[in-house]
Amino acid sequence: MRSRFPSFLLLSSLFWAQTYAADLQLPVSSVSVSSSAPSQVILIDAEQIEASKSEQITADGQVQLEQGGQRISAEHIIYNQQTGEVSARGMVRLEQPSGVVAGPDLNMNLDNSVGEMNAPIFEFHDNNARGAAQKVTRSGPLNYEFNRAFYTTCPAGNDDWLLNLSTLKIDRQSQTGTGYNAWVEFKGVPLLYTPWMNFPLDGRRRSGVLGPVFGVTASGGSEITLPIYLNLAPNYDATVAPRVISKRGVLVNNEFRYLGASFMGEINYDFLDSDRISQLNRHRFALKHSQNLGAGFGATLQLHRVSDDSYFRDLATTVINGTQTQLLNEGTLSYGGGWWSAMLKAQTFQTLQDPLASVAIPYHRLPQLNVSASKSFNRTELTFVSEYVNFYHPTLVNGERIVSYPSVTYALLNDTGYYLKPKIGLHSTQYVMSEHNSSAMPTVVRNIPIFSLDSGLNFERDLQIGEHNYVQSLEPRIYYVNVPYQNQDALPNYDTSQAVFNFSQMFTENRFFGNDRVGDADMATFVLTSRLIDDSGGTERLRLTLGERFSFSPQRVNLTTPDANSRSDVLLAAAGRVTDWLTVDSAIQYNPNVMHTQSAYLSTRYKQEKGKVLNLAYRYTRGDVPANDVRQVDFSTQWPLFWHWYAVSRMSYSLQDNRVLEALAGLEYNQSCWMLRLVVQRFPTATQQVSTGIFVQLELNDLVTIGSDPLSALRMSIPGYEKLNTPTPHH
């Protein structure tokens, strides 16, 4: 479930009877004899073999002794057939399919697996690890003890990091390991120490101290976090992480996770008593719970509260956390019955105010009930969507809204190459006003019929360009919708906004999100799409889409300034995987009535291999006045430099305001068994307020990670970013 310092040995195969090394060659035998032991047949190959009456066998010269899945190789072996004792000398190797251990001598009883080896050197093939010890003792088939041992995943000849232990005990029966006086060295410098450690051998969770996290922020100064993991039971655990912030105090992060047969969840409670800067007691509480109640029923609960508006701006270390303004608190009860479903919800928000720009408080839904159903009969599809919501707001008009929308769709034509589907429905809404109804608005009922007709064709042909074969498609689509006008200016607006004009919105009945406005319409949408598909692998190399919507009557229901033009903006999009390395995505929205570009977007990504990605994007949106135009460029990359160094960078820049909106820059050094990340990130947390985070992380492969983790920031900021030192999976 997580990496942790007590388990960073990862020595699930760290014992000398389960090792293998492909670079050590076995000798060729010339003489063979066989003998029986109580449980298995033993084979001995050697250049010279002598047997005595006491059933002692002496073998010399490239000796190999095999019993079951293990093999002992040496220059000289004495085996007592009565006692099962084996004494080996001279370049001794003990092998099993999973690894190898080698040393100058070995004394072991094959019957009870009791024995010892001096100066063992071991190697594993499952995680490319190796190590050595002063002595290893085997007290049975499942118990081992290493004295003065070291361990590393670095290749031979490279000791950049080492885990040193005075004593390491392995108990295969309980699948646990115990280490004493363990410390980690990196480039000869001690980094971590613990006098005692206990860790699992089979990947199971175990309590202990995780790798420390170091960091620096502009608002808090330098800081260190020391997480403590508690494996409380097989189905729940906890993490307590004291975070010492030099300018503020100690923020204690607490996480509790649980998992049952029909439920799962997570609880977080973080607190900082007496913040030295704000002079406040800061705290955060979060709960996520989901439950399968059976018989199609389910439930979820999500709670999130903080002590003050500036909690995330002062204490967050990531862009997502630092820019939160609406904290969702919600409980749901749902049912899925196959052809119908229902959901009961209660939803509120904690709104965190920006000191320089007021944040709108959304309506609470106390409660909300949704019921929907769908049935098909031959070519006919019957659908029903309904909703009841009680909206609450501390200052705006409150009220209840009931919506029902039954509809019928009939497929006049329905084939892979063509379709024609008319649809008719009745959108019915009822409002009952309550508190803050200053205009004394009465109960209102709105009934609006909606008719739409969706049709399309799909043509395909084979096309050869040069030596490449493609399938080219031509897909015209026409969509018509008719909604009669009804004056809705006096109705409240609880949750409705103007939909963004795009290809998806062009094929919807309503040009608004939400149910408080149903836009009048008498309009047709024409869209033409052509695709170029690689015939060999099915890759879409190019997709061109051109679309426009025409209104046959003026649109009178609007939340913004009405548009009296009959022609909508023209949309043109081009996208595709042009080559195996280059991907392009672009779109233009052009207003033919005033002959100017309303918006434009262009994004390209070049990714040749892991760790080699380059992204470049440009975005333009015309505002109501030139000063409100949006013109932004975005650049991000993960790119190899020289030796083992990689650059990581992201910059979002406003050409309109001549300022950097968000920036990230850093370096990664990827060595064979460790990786260093140095990252600086600057991001806004409020109006005219930014936060700067510094990440320094040292990751010792298959051992421990030290420092603040920049991976989430890198993945979010650089599309296509990949972790270079992907851990070796353990089984």
Side-chain angles (χ1 to χ4, degrees):
M1 296 179 68
R2 62 182 66 218
S3 300
R4 50 194 176 278
F5 182 59
S7 64
F8 56 53
L9 293 178
L10 301 177
L11 301 181
S12 59
S13 58
L14 179 58
F15 57 96
W16 52 285
Q18 290 189 348
T19 51
Y20 176 80
D23 58 331
L24 302 178
Q25 302 298 320
L26 298 175
V28 179
S29 305
S30 59
V31 181
S32 66
V33 299
S34 65
S35 179
S36 62
S39 59
Q40 298 184 30
V41 174
I42 295 176
L43 302 178
I44 301 177
D45 294 351
E47 293 179 351
Q48 182 177 353
I49 298 177
E50 296 181 0
S52 64
K53 294 181 180 180
S54 61
E55 298 187 357
Q56 176 174 292
I57 298 176
T58 302
D60 291 288
Q62 301 185 25
V63 186
Q64 293 185 11
L65 183 151
E66 295 187 28
Q67 181 193 40
Q70 68 179 2
R71 172 186 295 174
I72 301 174
S73 303
E75 287 299 314
H76 176 76
I77 287 182
I78 299 176
Y79 171 63
N80 191 309
Q81 300 181 75
Q82 290 184 340
T83 64
E85 296 286 344
V86 171
S87 177
R89 300 290 184 274
M91 300 177 63
V92 181
R93 286 166 44 87
L94 181 59
E95 299 176 76
Q96 283 194 342
S98 57
V100 64
V101 65
D105 55 59
L106 169 66
N107 294 302
M108 186 173 70
N109 189 298
L110 296 181
D111 296 341
N112 57 23
S113 299
V114 174
E116 62 181 22
M117 176 184 284
N118 292 311
I121 299 174
F122 48 84
E123 296 182 10
F124 320 131
H125 71 276
D126 58 347
N127 63 345
N128 299 316
R130 62 184 178 86
Q134 187 179 76
K135 184 178 181 180
V136 60
T137 303
R138 189 177 184 183
S139 57
L142 302 175
N143 296 284
Y144 311 87
E145 181 175 320
F146 292 83
N147 295 321
R148 299 184 64 83
F150 78 84
Y151 168 89
T152 184
T153 58
C154 294
N158 182 345
D159 292 338
D160 284 352
W161 69 260
L162 299 173
L163 173 65
N164 299 275
L165 306 102
S166 62
T167 304
L168 173 63
K169 295 182 179 180
I170 302 295
D171 186 344
R172 281 289 171 179
Q173 184 171 2
S174 63
Q175 290 296 327
T176 58
T178 305
Y180 300 90
N181 295 321
W183 70 98
V184 179
E185 289 184 9
F186 178 70
K187 295 289 188 177
V189 178
L191 295 182
L192 300 173
Y193 171 80
T194 179
W196 175 86
M197 61 191 306
N198 189 264
F199 54 91
L201 302 175
D202 54 0
R204 70 183 69 178
R205 307 188 315 270
R206 203 165 190 88
S207 301
V209 181
L210 310 183
V213 178
F214 305 94
V216 178
T217 62
S219 63
S222 59
E223 58 182 62
I224 179 174
T225 304
L226 187 64
I228 302 171
Y229 178 74
L230 303 174
N231 180 34
L232 303 175
N235 62 327
Y236 55 90
D237 60 15
T239 303
V240 180
R243 176 182 167 192
V244 181
I245 307 174
S246 61
K247 295 182 181 180
R248 296 186 179 274
V250 180
L251 172 65
V252 181
N253 299 297
N254 298 279
E255 177 190 76
F256 176 75
R257 302 184 301 173
Y258 55 92
L259 175 66
S262 61
F263 62 88
M264 63 182 299
E266 178 180 322
I267 302 174
N268 297 88
Y269 180 68
D270 310 331
F271 62 90
L272 169 59
D273 290 336
S274 301
D275 186 332
R276 289 195 290 266
I277 296 179
S278 66
Q279 304 300 315
L280 297 174
N281 291 328
R282 323 291 292 273
H283 60 82
R284 167 182 172 263
F285 173 78
L287 166 66
K288 292 182 180 180
H289 177 87
S290 61
Q291 181 98 31
N292 183 353
L293 301 174
F297 287 92
T300 65
L301 179 63
Q302 181 173 345
L303 303 175
H304 201 179
R305 303 288 295 181
V306 295
S307 57
D308 54 271
D309 292 337
S310 301
Y311 183 90
F312 291 113
R313 291 194 292 271
D314 292 343
L315 301 174
T317 57
T318 64
V319 176
I320 290 181
N321 290 334
T323 56
Q324 289 187 92
T325 57
Q326 304 287 357
L327 304 185
L328 176 64
N329 295 270
E330 179 181 87
T332 65
L333 176 64
S334 60
Y335 173 76
W339 64 274
W340 75 281
S341 62
M343 182 184 65
L344 178 64
K345 175 191 296 184
Q347 183 185 81
T348 66
F349 296 88
Q350 181 186 6
T351 302
L352 308 182
Q353 293 296 338
D354 186 327
L356 297 179
S358 178
V359 179
I361 300 176
Y363 274 93
H364 301 325
R365 300 166 184 258
L366 299 170
Q368 174 182 351
L369 175 63
N370 293 83
V371 178
S372 60
S374 178
K375 273 283 190 180
S376 297
F377 304 94
N378 295 324
R379 295 186 175 187
T380 304
E381 182 180 2
L382 304 178
T383 60
F384 175 76
V385 178
S386 65
E387 178 189 65
Y388 164 80
V389 188
N390 180 36
F391 290 99
Y392 169 78
H393 195 280
T395 58
L396 302 180
V397 59
N398 290 194
E400 300 171 77
R401 187 184 69 196
I402 303 174
V403 176
S404 65
Y405 181 33
S407 62
V408 180
T409 303
Y410 182 74
L412 288 174
L413 300 173
N414 190 18
D415 198 272
T416 55
Y418 50 86
Y419 60 90
L420 180 63
K421 298 179 180 180
K423 176 184 177 182
I424 188 169
L426 178 65
H427 195 286
S428 179
T429 311
Q430 180 177 348
Y431 291 89
V432 179
M433 308 305 170
S434 56
E435 290 86 3
H436 310 298
N437 186 9
S438 59
S439 60
M441 186 184 303
T443 298
V444 180
V445 177
R446 179 188 63 189
N447 293 306
I448 301 179
I450 299 176
F451 172 78
S452 65
L453 180 65
D454 195 5
S455 62
L457 298 170
N458 190 351
F459 302 98
E460 290 185 354
R461 68 165 183 169
D462 295 329
L463 179 66
Q464 185 174 6
I465 302 177
E467 298 180 355
H468 299 281
N469 295 320
Y470 300 92
V471 174
Q472 183 186 17
S473 72
L474 188 64
E475 306 164 33
R477 182 180 179 184
I478 301 176
Y479 180 79
Y480 173 78
V481 60
N482 186 284
V483 181
Y485 167 75
Q486 190 170 126
N487 192 325
Q488 304 166 48
D489 295 341
L491 297 181
N493 185 1
Y494 294 128
D495 61 359
T496 299
S497 61
Q498 192 86 32
V500 177
F501 185 69
N502 53 39
F503 282 109
S504 298
Q505 195 277 328
M506 293 173 78
F507 297 101
T508 59
E509 299 167 342
N510 194 7
R511 59 181 180 274
F512 300 100
F513 286 128
N515 289 307
D516 291 315
R517 297 292 184 273
V518 177
D520 57 314
D522 182 15
M523 55 191 182
T525 298
F526 298 88
V527 172
L528 182 63
T529 302
S530 180
R531 307 173 195 268
L532 194 64
I533 301 173
D534 195 325
D535 196 33
S536 59
T539 303
E540 187 178 77
R541 294 299 182 185
L542 182 62
R543 181 179 71 253
L544 297 174
T545 307
L546 175 66
E548 186 175 2
R549 188 164 62 191
F550 295 87
S551 294
F552 304 113
S553 62
Q555 299 172 0
R556 302 168 63 184
V557 178
N558 290 282
L559 291 175
T560 58
T561 303
D563 187 357
N565 297 296
S566 61
R567 296 182 61 184
S568 72
D569 293 350
V570 178
L571 296 180
L572 174 63
R577 193 178 185 89
V578 181
T579 70
D580 292 338
W581 300 341
L582 180 63
T583 303
V584 176
D585 187 13
S586 62
I588 296 177
Q589 180 179 348
Y590 178 78
N591 189 328
N593 301 292
V594 293
M595 301 182 65
H596 67 222
T597 299
Q598 187 64 32
S599 67
Y601 172 75
L602 173 62
S603 172
T604 62
R605 176 185 299 180
Y606 177 85
K607 186 172 184 179
Q608 182 177 358
E609 59 190 28
K610 182 178 182 179
K612 198 172 187 179
V613 60
L614 178 65
N615 304 287
L616 182 62
Y618 171 79
R619 184 185 302 275
Y620 166 78
T621 302
R622 179 181 292 270
D624 50 357
V625 294
N628 293 334
D629 289 354
V630 174
R631 293 186 296 128
Q632 296 177 2
V633 292
D634 197 293
F635 166 82
S636 61
T637 185
Q638 180 188 23
W639 202 263
L641 297 176
F642 50 85
W643 294 75
H644 301 281
W645 287 100
Y646 287 75
V648 288
S649 178
R650 188 267 176 99
M651 184 181 69
S652 180
Y653 186 81
S654 173
L655 299 173
Q656 184 73 14
D657 304 322
N658 293 321
R659 66 185 182 93
V660 176
L661 303 177
E662 183 181 340
L664 179 147
L667 294 171
E668 294 181 310
Y669 184 85
N670 184 29
Q671 187 52 270
S672 55
C673 58
W674 59 275
M675 188 164 188
L676 177 66
R677 300 181 181 94
L678 308 170
V679 178
V680 179
Q681 185 182 28
R682 180 181 181 271
F683 56 91
T685 57
T687 304
Q688 298 182 3
Q689 183 176 343
V690 298
S691 177
T692 302
I694 300 176
F695 303 88
V696 180
Q697 184 186 60
L698 175 64
E699 183 175 351
L700 308 182
N701 293 0
D702 292 327
L703 185 68
V704 67
T705 298
I706 304 171
S708 52
D709 186 3
L711 291 177
S712 60
L714 291 171
R715 293 188 178 106
M716 185 189 314
S717 301
I718 306 173
Y721 171 86
E722 289 190 69
K723 185 179 178 184
L724 299 174
N725 61 331
T726 303
T728 303
H730 299 283
H731 303 282

